[in-house]
């Protein structure tokens, strides 16, 4: 190929490296924080034990689920909804390349070539993937948050509670919605700010000389 592997995949590689760094930092500082709680109760928490704990699982999937929900909604809602002047919106009037029916050509994905139910699923595979990832992350958050509370109750000598009762408590839902609202705000920000502001060279921005009310990139 014309360009080396790192150049062709630099965007995903950089974000995966940043993700790994942030996850390791989260694990370390979360462990240090929980160690203080355990020490107050005369116990020691090993890092390996913390990585399997409800506290770490809940904190991790709490963030994952909001991100995947954000992307699932963004992918689906941009099909039907418009924002005049935004680089993140499709045209108000014209059909776009993404709206056309797939054509079976030599370099098309295999699902397009095979057609039928494979193509029907593939046409919505991006939103389906984000939806599945959101559901799995939501379940992971629920599992972690519940077991984190059970461990907290154990340290404090309190009786465990059933999952059904836990779901009626405010803690899990507070954790859930505090993340959702930030994701909705971030999407609204890029949609609205891209009407009036520009970033030369970024595909998420309109050309610098584009009029404010020109919709799309």
């Amino acid at each position: 190929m014309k360009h080396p592997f790192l150049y062709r995949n630099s965007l995903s590689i950089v974000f995966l490296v940043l993700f790994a760094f942030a996850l390791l930092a989260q694990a370390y500082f979360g462990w240090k924080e929980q160690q203080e709680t355990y020490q107050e109760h005369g116990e020691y928490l090993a890092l390996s034990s913390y990585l399997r704990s409800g506290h770490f699982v809940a904190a991790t999937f709490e963030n994952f689920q909001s991100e995947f929900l954000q992307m699932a909604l963004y992918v689906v809602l941009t099909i039907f909804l418009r924002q005049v002047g935004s680089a993140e919106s499709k045209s108000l009037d014209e059909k776009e390349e993404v709206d056309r029916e797939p054509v079976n050509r030599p370099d098309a994905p295999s699902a397009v070539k095979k057609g039928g139910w494979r193509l029907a699923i593939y046409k919505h595979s991006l939103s389906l993937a984000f939806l599945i990832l959101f559901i799995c992350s939501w379940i992971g958050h629920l599992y972690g948050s519940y077991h984190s509370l059970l461990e907290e109750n154990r340290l404090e000598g309190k009786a465990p509670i059933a999952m059904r009762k836990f779901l009626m408590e405010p803690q899990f839902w507070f954790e859930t919605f505090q993340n959702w609202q930030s994701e909705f705000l971030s999407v609204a920000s890029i949609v609205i700010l891209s009407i009036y502001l520009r970033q030369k060279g970024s595909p998420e921005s309109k050309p610098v000389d584009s009029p404010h009310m020109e919709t799309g990139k």
Side-chain angles (χ1 to χ4, degrees):
M1 292 188 176
K2 181 180 178 181
H3 300 291
F5 176 83
L6 289 178
Y7 182 84
R8 288 184 281 119
N9 299 280
S10 56
L11 186 60
S12 57
I13 289 171
V14 166
F15 272 102
L16 286 173
V17 169
L18 289 172
F19 163 73
F21 170 77
L23 186 62
L24 289 172
Q26 173 201 324
Y28 175 76
F29 289 110
W31 172 54
K32 299 296 286 186
E33 178 192 15
Q34 283 298 95
Q35 262 193 332
E36 295 178 3
T37 302
Y38 274 69
Q39 287 171 356
E40 290 173 0
H41 293 87
E43 296 187 22
Y44 173 76
L45 177 65
L47 177 59
S48 58
S49 298
Y50 174 70
L51 294 177
R52 299 190 301 270
S53 70
H55 185 273
F56 177 71
V57 172
T60 301
F61 284 102
E62 178 184 340
N63 287 306
F64 284 5
Q65 56 138 337
S66 60
E67 299 295 338
F68 292 135
L69 175 64
Q70 173 201 43
M71 296 310 299
L73 288 175
Y74 189 61
V75 169
V76 173
L77 292 180
T78 50
I79 300 172
F80 309 103
L81 305 181
R82 304 288 186 272
Q83 174 56 58
V84 60
S86 176
E88 301 300 311
S89 171
K90 293 198 297 185
S91 170
L92 299 182
D93 305 303
E94 300 173 2
K95 286 283 186 179
E96 301 201 0
E97 184 71 3
V98 293
D99 295 313
R100 65 175 176 78
E101 285 300 312
V103 177
N104 185 357
R105 55 190 183 188
D107 59 349
S110 61
V112 177
K113 295 177 180 178
K114 292 177 179 177
W117 64 269
R118 294 179 181 85
L119 176 57
I121 294 175
Y122 189 69
K123 286 163 71 173
H124 306 285
S125 56
L126 184 59
S127 56
L128 287 172
F130 280 125
L131 180 60
I132 292 169
L133 288 169
F134 163 68
I135 292 171
C136 292
S137 299
W138 187 89
I139 293 171
H141 174 212
L142 175 61
Y143 171 87
S145 188
Y146 174 62
H147 283 272
S148 179
L149 180 62
L150 291 182
E151 183 63 8
E152 183 181 319
N153 286 351
R154 184 191 70 79
L155 290 172
E156 297 177 357
K158 298 179 182 179
I161 67 170
M163 174 72 80
R164 182 173 61 181
K165 184 177 180 182
F166 174 71
L167 281 170
M168 293 187 289
E169 297 292 325
Q171 176 183 333
F172 173 72
W173 298 109
F174 169 74
E175 293 172 355
T176 297
F177 285 106
Q178 73 168 343
N179 279 276
W180 288 13
Q181 53 88 12
S182 64
E183 301 305 328
F184 298 153
L185 178 61
S186 68
V187 173
S189 297
I190 185 65
V191 169
I192 295 170
L193 292 178
S194 66
I195 300 173
Y196 304 103
L197 306 180
R198 307 287 187 270
Q199 177 55 59
K200 186 177 184 296
S202 174
E204 297 307 308
S205 169
K206 295 187 292 187
V208 176
D209 57 357
S210 294
H212 290 327
M213 290 300 104
E214 181 177 297
T215 305
K217 295 180 175 68

